[in-house]
Structures are given as C-alpha cells and as structure tokens.
Amino acid sequence: MNTKQAYKIIDAGWAKKRAGYRIQFQRKVDGEIVTDYFPDLDEGPWLSEVAIWRMAWRLAESRQSDPPDVNHGDLINVTVVDLEGSPIKYYAINQLEVFNQMSL
Amino acid sequence: MEGLAASIEQMEKTMTTYGREIVIAFAVIVVGLILIKWINIGLKKAFSKLPISSARGATIRNVLCVLMLAVLVTFAAIELGIAAGPVMRFLSILTLTAIGMIVVFRPLIPTLPFKVGTTIKAGDLLGKVEATTVLNTRLRTFDGKTVFIPNRIILNDVIINYHFTPTRRFELKINILYDQDLMKAKQILETIMVEDPRVHPTPRPIVYLMSLNKGFVELSGRGWADNLKRFVVTRELLEKTKFRFDQEGIAMALPQMQVHYTSKNMPQLNTEG
C-alpha cells in the first residue's frame, strides 16, 4: 500500500469531509405539513457549520409554534442536515438537535 | 496696422478657399468626439454586465477610444483636403513610436504591486484597493475607512498582496494543561479541520506540539483555506474546538507561571483576620 492508497482509506473511513449544510424544517402549507430546506435545494449549500446552526436557531426563534397547534408560518422541527439529508450533530453539544421540535 | 490688415486679408482668402472644408472638418471632430464619448459610456455599461474585471474593461475601452480617435482624425483630415495616405502614415508612425516607448521603458517605470480590487496590507493598514492614481492609492479598510496612501510610501514599504496566491495557511493555537490527554486533543483538533468543507484536503491539516516550556502544552493546528475565507474559517474552527474540548473534558490553559519557594524565601502568610 502506498501513501495515496493509505490516505484514500483514511479519507473514506475517518473524519469525512462534509460537502455542505442545509437547514431542514417543516411548515404548514394549505393545511398540510411539508418539509422544506434552506437554502433551497436548487441553490448551493452553506459551507459553514457554525453559520448554518446560527441561522437555524434564528429561524426557529423567529417562528415559534404554540404546541400542539401548528399555525400558518410556524417553522417546526428545525435542524441541520448534510447534502444526503442526514441530520448532523450540533457542534455546541455534540448531539442531534432539533429546534421547535414537535411530533406530528 | 498694415500687418493686421494683411493678416485679416490672408484669413479671408483662406476662409474663402478652404472655409467649407474647415467647417466640415470641425463638425466631424465635434460630432465624432460626442459619438466616441457615448460609445465609451455604452461600452462601460456593457462591460459591467460581462464577467471581466473593471481594470481590464477600462483597458479595452481605452484602446477602442484611441482607435476611434485615430479614425476620426483621419476623416477630419480627408475632409480638410489632406490626402489620406500621409495622415495614415503619420498616425501609424505615432502609434508605433508610442508602442516602442512603452515596450522599452515599461520595465523601468515603477509599478504598484497590486491592482484595483486587490486586498493588501500596507504598513498597518489592511483593506481593498479602490483606485490608484499617479499620486496616491485609495484603500478601503474593512472597518469602512477610506485611506489615501501616497504612492511613494507604497513603493518604499513592504506590501502584502493577498491575491497573488489563492490559498493561505491558517493556524489554530490551542493551549492545554500538562495533565490533559495530549493525543485526544490532537485527534479532536485534526478531525475538526479535516471535516470542514472549506479546509483544503491538500496539504493535509496537521497538528503540531509547538512547545512545553511556557507553563502549558502549546498545540498548533495548521491547514489551508481560500484567502477570502481564511479569517472566518479560523474563527469558526476555534469556536468548534472550544466546544469539543469542553465536551471531551480537555481543560484549556491560560498563560501561567509556576513559582517555587524554598524554606529560605517562603513568604510569611498573614493568617490573622
């Protein structure tokens, strides 16, 4: 095994470089709860984990729901996902975090 | 008095013979200059929508303006009754002489080590170059100040141009106490750098132990990022490192000094009230 092959294994198995981040949230549209993303899926993702979590918190704080009701404009289950849509751990607590969490 | 009368008479003759041509040539020059100005404004607007730098756009516009001016002078000369051949030859000689002078003397002309739009550090000033003139350079600092720096100072000082290389190394300086888990701290620091999408994969991020003799273990995480993102990347990685060290129970250290007393120089502690 040469150096290149060794690093290939390391890059695939340990501390994978992330490609970007999106905020995933849910809201009520025409009476239905839909999942949406920020930035939109046709736009480029954010590359800063710190900035995207801060943005998620701001969004959640701005449009809080009044459980158990979800009103028009409320943003619930706000979290940060990678480009595959998998939730990522909030770096500040090293755990998955969902703002305005509500089970539907 | 006779001289004046003769001059007037001569002018009358000239105007009678060439008056029409002079007026037409003058009109051609005036209309041509206005047209060139309009075209220049139009080109400026058009270039602003194209993906070319403002400096390059200005150069292209200047070259086009000079060419249009040459054509205009030729037209005016033809209207004046001068043969086109000599005018063209004169303009060609003039152009070639100018190009030759530029080629020969350009290396000798002191030039500023940056262009408009470049981020530079001149002395203690860090900012973006907004404009350069023959006498000074206009710099906009990142806290919003506009600074005019005389070019003679710039030519005599050390200038850092942040646009020569697209990437730059960043450094995360972290200090931990002697009794902390060094390997764990190194692994966390490296992982944080490797995971970040803005940190370049090559050269690979690496963590060094810089020193042990300052009262703490001095670690330095080093990686490469785009020049324009380096500041933010460094600050955000530091923030993430602080949180991760807290979560993993690694105590960071402040600069400190240990003082050892012997029995001879032991200070008397005042234990009374």
Side-chain angles (χ1 to χ4, degrees):
Chain A
M1 185 188 294
N2 58 31
T3 310
K4 203 174 174 183
Q5 289 167 330
Y7 275 128
K8 206 172 173 183
I9 292 170
I10 292 166
D11 290 339
W14 171 77
K16 284 182 192 169
K17 189 170 283 299
R18 297 208 174 96
Y21 309 94
R22 281 199 166 84
I23 299 171
Q24 180 184 274
F25 55 91
Q26 291 177 311
R27 60 179 166 181
K28 208 172 208 175
V29 177
D30 300 331
E32 298 258 324
I33 299 290
V34 294
T35 301
D36 203 350
Y37 295 91
F38 170 86
D40 279 326
L41 293 173
D42 53 355
E43 288 178 27
W46 281 23
L47 299 179
S48 166
E49 191 180 351
V50 173
I52 199 87
W53 272 109
R54 192 71 190 152
M55 190 72 180
W57 179 82
R58 284 194 197 114
L59 276 174
E61 285 293 304
S62 306
R63 307 296 291 188
Q64 284 203 355
S65 56
D66 186 16
D69 299 323
V70 180
N71 299 315
H72 179 75
D74 290 348
L75 304 180
I76 58 165
N77 296 328
V78 182
T79 191
V80 174
V81 294
D82 61 17
L83 296 196
E84 283 79 43
S86 309
I88 63 159
K89 289 179 179 175
Y90 184 20
Y91 68 93
I93 54 173
N94 202 25
Q95 287 174 11
L96 295 176
E97 172 72 294
V98 180
F99 300 123
N100 288 354
Q101 189 164 17
M102 193 183 290
S103 13
L104 301 166
Chain B
M1 198 64 183
E2 280 182 13
L4 181 64
S7 297
I8 292 170
E9 196 178 336
Q10 179 64 36
M11 196 181 289
E12 275 179 5
K13 274 185 184 176
T14 309
M15 287 306 286
T16 312
T17 316
Y18 301 109
R20 185 177 159 277
E21 286 80 6
I22 290 171
V23 169
I24 291 173
F26 184 72
V28 166
I29 291 281
V30 170
V31 173
L33 285 174
I34 293 168
L35 270 175
I36 288 172
K37 190 169 184 181
W38 283 354
I39 291 169
N40 194 18
I41 293 168
L43 284 172
K44 193 174 180 180
K45 280 183 187 169
F47 285 170
S48 66
K49 291 171 188 167
L50 294 175
I52 54 171
S53 68
S54 59
R56 182 162 291 177
T59 309
I60 295 170
R61 281 189 293 116
N62 287 342
V63 170
L64 287 173
C65 282
V66 169
L67 286 174
M68 286 188 289
L69 209 59
V71 171
L72 181 65
V73 170
T74 310
F75 269 121
I78 291 167
E79 286 300 327
L80 209 53
I82 301 169
V87 175
M88 291 301 287
R89 274 196 291 277
F90 174 71
L91 286 174
S92 303
I93 291 166
L94 204 67
T95 309
L96 289 171
T97 310
I99 291 169
M101 296 274 278
I102 291 168
V103 169
V104 171
F105 291 108
R106 193 170 179 185
L108 305 174
I109 301 168
T111 51
L112 296 169
F114 48 75
K115 294 175 183 170
V116 171
T118 314
T119 300
I120 62 160
K121 189 172 186 184
D124 292 334
L125 295 167
L126 176 69
K128 201 171 194 175
V129 177
E130 280 196 331
T132 54
T133 66
V134 179
L135 292 177
N136 57 43
T137 294
R138 197 170 80 217
L139 192 74
R140 189 168 174 81
T141 61
F142 290 114
D143 58 351
K145 288 195 290 274
T146 301
V147 186
F148 293 86
I149 312 170
N151 288 342
R152 63 185 164 75
I153 291 177
I154 287 173
L155 291 169
N156 288 328
D157 205 351
V158 175
I159 303 293
I160 300 173
N161 185 333
Y162 293 103
H163 285 241
F164 258 70
T165 47
T167 58
R168 237 178 114 195
R169 197 186 73 187
F170 64 85
E171 186 175 12
L172 306 176
K173 289 182 177 175
I174 308 287
N175 304 325
I176 58 171
L177 296 171
Y178 285 123
D179 58 356
Q180 300 301 299
D181 189 337
L182 175 60
M183 287 317 296
K184 196 173 180 183
K186 283 183 74 174
Q187 283 161 7
I188 290 169
L189 202 50
E190 191 178 346
T191 309
I192 285 170
M193 288 190 290
V194 169
E195 280 178 348
D196 196 289
R198 296 160 299 176
V199 176
H200 290 217
T202 51
R204 297 183 76 83
I206 194 159
V207 182
Y208 291 110
L209 195 161
M210 300 300 282
S211 80
L212 292 168
N213 57 2
K214 293 179 181 171
F216 46 75
V217 179
E218 187 182 0
L219 294 176
S220 169
R222 294 175 178 191
W224 288 76
D226 287 351
N227 241 331
L228 298 176
K229 294 175 183 167
R230 181 181 168 275
F231 179 86
V232 176
V233 168
T234 310
R235 271 72 209 167
E236 290 186 357
L237 292 182
L238 276 174
E239 182 180 334
K240 287 171 78 174
T241 305
K242 167 73 173 72
F243 279 115
R244 283 298 300 279
F245 275 27
D246 288 349
Q247 290 150 13
E248 300 290 340
I250 296 174
M252 296 170 91
L254 294 169
Q256 56 188 285
M257 183 186 290
Q258 285 186 337
V259 181
H260 298 275
Y261 290 111
T262 62
S263 55
K264 287 180 183 174
N265 65 359
M266 181 69 80
Q268 293 297 314
L269 295 175
N270 186 4
T271 54
E272 291 177 13

Coordinates of all heavy atoms in Angstrom, one line a residue, chain B residues 59-99:
Chain B
T59 N -9.2 49.1 -19.8 CA -8.1 49.0 -20.8 C -8.6 48.8 -22.2 O -8.2 49.5 -23.2 CB -7.1 47.8 -20.5 OG1 -6.7 47.9 -19.1 CG2 -5.9 47.8 -21.3
I60 N -9.6 47.9 -22.3 CA -10.2 47.6 -23.7 C -10.9 48.9 -24.2 O -10.7 49.3 -25.3 CB -11.2 46.4 -23.6 CG1 -10.5 45.1 -23.2 CG2 -12.0 46.3 -24.9 CD1 -11.4 44.0 -22.9
R61 N -11.6 49.6 -23.3 CA -12.3 50.8 -23.7 C -11.3 51.9 -24.1 O -11.5 52.5 -25.1 CB -13.2 51.3 -22.5 CG -14.5 50.6 -22.4 CD -15.4 51.2 -21.4 NE -14.9 51.1 -20.0 CZ -14.6 52.2 -19.3 NH1 -14.7 53.4 -19.8 NH2 -14.1 52.0 -18.1
N62 N -10.2 52.0 -23.4 CA -9.2 53.0 -23.7 C -8.6 52.7 -25.1 O -8.4 53.6 -25.9 CB -8.1 53.0 -22.7 CG -8.6 53.7 -21.4 OD1 -9.6 54.4 -21.4 ND2 -7.9 53.4 -20.3
V63 N -8.3 51.4 -25.4 CA -7.7 51.1 -26.7 C -8.7 51.4 -27.8 O -8.4 52.0 -28.8 CB -7.3 49.6 -26.7 CG1 -7.0 49.1 -28.1 CG2 -6.2 49.3 -25.8
L64 N -10.0 51.0 -27.6 CA -11.0 51.3 -28.6 C -11.2 52.8 -28.8 O -11.3 53.2 -30.0 CB -12.3 50.7 -28.2 CG -12.4 49.1 -28.3 CD1 -13.7 48.6 -27.7 CD2 -12.3 48.7 -29.7
C65 N -11.1 53.6 -27.8 CA -11.3 55.0 -27.9 C -10.1 55.6 -28.7 O -10.3 56.5 -29.5 CB -11.3 55.7 -26.5 SG -12.9 55.5 -25.7
V66 N -8.9 55.1 -28.4 CA -7.8 55.7 -29.2 C -7.9 55.3 -30.7 O -7.7 56.2 -31.5 CB -6.4 55.1 -28.6 CG1 -5.3 55.4 -29.5 CG2 -6.2 55.6 -27.2
L67 N -8.3 54.1 -31.0 CA -8.5 53.7 -32.4 C -9.6 54.5 -33.0 O -9.4 55.0 -34.2 CB -8.9 52.2 -32.4 CG -7.8 51.2 -32.2 CD1 -8.3 49.8 -32.1 CD2 -6.7 51.3 -33.2
M68 N -10.7 54.8 -32.3 CA -11.8 55.6 -32.9 C -11.3 57.0 -33.1 O -11.7 57.7 -34.1 CB -13.0 55.5 -31.9 CG -13.8 54.2 -32.0 SD -15.3 54.2 -31.1 CE -14.8 54.3 -29.4
L69 N -10.5 57.5 -32.2 CA -10.0 58.9 -32.3 C -9.1 59.0 -33.5 O -9.1 60.0 -34.3 CB -9.2 59.2 -31.0 CG -9.1 60.6 -30.6 CD1 -10.5 61.2 -30.4 CD2 -8.2 60.8 -29.4
A70 N -8.3 57.9 -33.8 CA -7.4 57.9 -34.9 C -8.2 57.9 -36.2 O -7.9 58.7 -37.2 CB -6.5 56.7 -34.9
V71 N -9.3 57.1 -36.3 CA -10.2 57.1 -37.4 C -10.8 58.5 -37.6 O -10.9 59.0 -38.8 CB -11.2 56.0 -37.3 CG1 -12.3 56.1 -38.4 CG2 -10.6 54.6 -37.3
L72 N -11.2 59.1 -36.5 CA -11.9 60.4 -36.6 C -10.9 61.5 -37.1 O -11.3 62.3 -38.0 CB -12.3 60.8 -35.2 CG -13.1 62.1 -35.0 CD1 -14.4 62.1 -35.8 CD2 -13.3 62.4 -33.5
V73 N -9.7 61.5 -36.6 CA -8.7 62.5 -37.1 C -8.5 62.3 -38.6 O -8.4 63.2 -39.4 CB -7.4 62.3 -36.3 CG1 -6.3 63.1 -36.9 CG2 -7.6 62.8 -34.9
T74 N -8.4 61.0 -39.0 CA -8.2 60.7 -40.5 C -9.4 61.3 -41.3 O -9.2 61.9 -42.3 CB -8.1 59.2 -40.7 OG1 -7.2 58.7 -39.7 CG2 -7.6 58.8 -42.1
F75 N -10.6 61.0 -40.8 CA -11.8 61.5 -41.6 C -11.7 63.0 -41.7 O -12.0 63.6 -42.7 CB -13.1 61.1 -40.9 CG -13.6 59.8 -41.4 CD1 -13.8 58.7 -40.5 CD2 -13.9 59.6 -42.7 CE1 -14.2 57.5 -41.0 CE2 -14.4 58.4 -43.2 CZ -14.6 57.3 -42.3
A76 N -11.4 63.7 -40.5 CA -11.4 65.1 -40.5 C -10.3 65.6 -41.4 O -10.5 66.6 -42.2 CB -11.1 65.6 -39.1
A77 N -9.1 65.0 -41.5 CA -8.1 65.4 -42.4 C -8.5 65.2 -43.8 O -8.2 66.1 -44.7 CB -6.8 64.5 -42.1
I78 N -9.2 64.2 -44.1 CA -9.6 63.9 -45.5 C -10.6 65.0 -45.9 O -10.6 65.6 -47.0 CB -10.3 62.5 -45.7 CG1 -9.2 61.5 -45.5 CG2 -11.0 62.4 -47.0 CD1 -9.7 60.1 -45.3
E79 N -11.5 65.4 -45.0 CA -12.5 66.5 -45.2 C -11.8 67.8 -45.5 O -12.2 68.6 -46.2 CB -13.5 66.6 -44.1 CG -14.5 65.5 -44.0 CD -15.4 65.4 -45.2 OE1 -15.7 66.5 -45.8 OE2 -15.8 64.3 -45.6
L80 N -10.6 67.9 -44.8 CA -9.9 69.2 -44.9 C -9.1 69.2 -46.2 O -8.6 70.3 -46.6 CB -8.9 69.3 -43.7 CG -8.5 70.6 -43.2 CD1 -9.7 71.5 -42.9 CD2 -7.6 70.5 -42.0
G81 N -9.1 68.1 -47.0 CA -8.5 68.1 -48.2 C -7.1 67.5 -48.2 O -6.4 67.5 -49.2
I82 N -6.7 67.0 -47.0 CA -5.4 66.4 -46.9 C -5.5 65.0 -47.4 O -6.5 64.3 -47.1 CB -4.8 66.4 -45.5 CG1 -4.7 67.9 -45.0 CG2 -3.5 65.7 -45.4 CD1 -4.5 68.0 -43.5
A83 N -4.6 64.5 -48.2 CA -4.6 63.1 -48.7 C -4.6 62.1 -47.5 O -3.9 62.4 -46.5 CB -3.4 62.8 -49.6
A84 N -5.4 61.1 -47.6 CA -5.5 60.1 -46.5 C -4.2 59.4 -46.3 O -3.8 59.1 -45.1 CB -6.6 59.1 -46.9
G85 N -3.4 59.2 -47.3 CA -2.2 58.4 -47.2 C -1.2 59.0 -46.2 O -0.8 58.3 -45.2
P86 N -0.8 60.3 -46.3 CA 0.1 60.8 -45.3 C -0.4 60.8 -43.9 O 0.3 60.6 -43.0 CB 0.3 62.3 -45.8 CG -0.1 62.2 -47.3 CD -1.1 61.2 -47.4
V87 N -1.8 61.1 -43.8 CA -2.4 61.1 -42.4 C -2.2 59.7 -41.8 O -1.8 59.5 -40.6 CB -3.8 61.5 -42.5 CG1 -4.5 61.4 -41.1 CG2 -4.0 62.9 -43.0
M88 N -2.6 58.7 -42.6 CA -2.5 57.3 -42.1 C -1.0 57.0 -41.7 O -0.8 56.3 -40.7 CB -3.0 56.3 -43.1 CG -4.5 56.4 -43.3 SD -5.4 56.1 -41.8 CE -5.2 54.3 -41.6
R89 N -0.1 57.4 -42.6 CA 1.3 57.1 -42.3 C 1.7 57.8 -41.0 O 2.4 57.2 -40.1 CB 2.2 57.6 -43.5 CG 2.3 56.6 -44.6 CD 3.5 56.9 -45.5 NE 3.3 58.1 -46.3 CZ 2.6 58.1 -47.4 NH1 2.1 57.0 -47.9 NH2 2.4 59.2 -48.1
F90 N 1.3 59.1 -40.8 CA 1.7 59.8 -39.6 C 1.1 59.2 -38.4 O 1.9 59.0 -37.4 CB 1.1 61.3 -39.7 CG 1.3 62.1 -38.5 CD1 2.6 62.5 -38.1 CD2 0.3 62.4 -37.6 CE1 2.8 63.2 -36.9 CE2 0.4 63.1 -36.5 CZ 1.7 63.5 -36.1
L91 N -0.2 58.7 -38.4 CA -0.8 58.1 -37.3 C -0.1 56.7 -37.0 O 0.1 56.4 -35.8 CB -2.3 57.9 -37.5 CG -3.1 59.1 -37.4 CD1 -4.6 58.8 -37.9 CD2 -3.1 59.7 -36.0
S92 N 0.3 56.0 -38.1 CA 1.0 54.7 -37.9 C 2.3 54.9 -37.2 O 2.7 54.2 -36.3 CB 1.2 54.0 -39.2 OG 0.0 53.9 -39.9
I93 N 3.1 55.9 -37.7 CA 4.4 56.2 -37.1 C 4.2 56.6 -35.6 O 4.9 56.1 -34.7 CB 5.1 57.4 -37.8 CG1 5.5 56.9 -39.2 CG2 6.3 57.9 -37.1 CD1 5.9 57.9 -40.2
L94 N 3.2 57.4 -35.3 CA 2.9 57.9 -34.0 C 2.6 56.6 -33.1 O 3.1 56.5 -31.9 CB 1.7 58.8 -34.0 CG 1.6 59.8 -32.8 CD1 2.8 60.8 -32.9 CD2 0.3 60.6 -32.9
T95 N 1.7 55.8 -33.6 CA 1.3 54.6 -32.8 C 2.5 53.7 -32.5 O 2.7 53.2 -31.4 CB 0.3 53.8 -33.6 OG1 -0.8 54.7 -34.0 CG2 -0.3 52.6 -32.7
L96 N 3.3 53.4 -33.6 CA 4.4 52.5 -33.4 C 5.5 53.1 -32.4 O 6.1 52.4 -31.6 CB 5.1 52.3 -34.8 CG 4.3 51.3 -35.7 CD1 4.9 51.3 -37.1 CD2 4.2 49.9 -35.2
T97 N 5.7 54.4 -32.5 CA 6.6 55.1 -31.6 C 6.1 54.9 -30.2 O 6.9 54.6 -29.3 CB 6.7 56.6 -31.9 OG1 7.0 56.7 -33.3 CG2 7.8 57.3 -31.1
A98 N 4.8 55.1 -30.0 CA 4.2 55.0 -28.6 C 4.4 53.6 -28.1 O 4.8 53.4 -26.9 CB 2.8 55.4 -28.6
I99 N 4.1 52.6 -29.0 CA 4.2 51.2 -28.5 C 5.7 50.9 -28.2 O 6.0 50.3 -27.2 CB 3.7 50.3 -29.6 CG1 2.2 50.4 -29.7 CG2 4.0 48.8 -29.3 CD1 1.6 49.7 -30.9

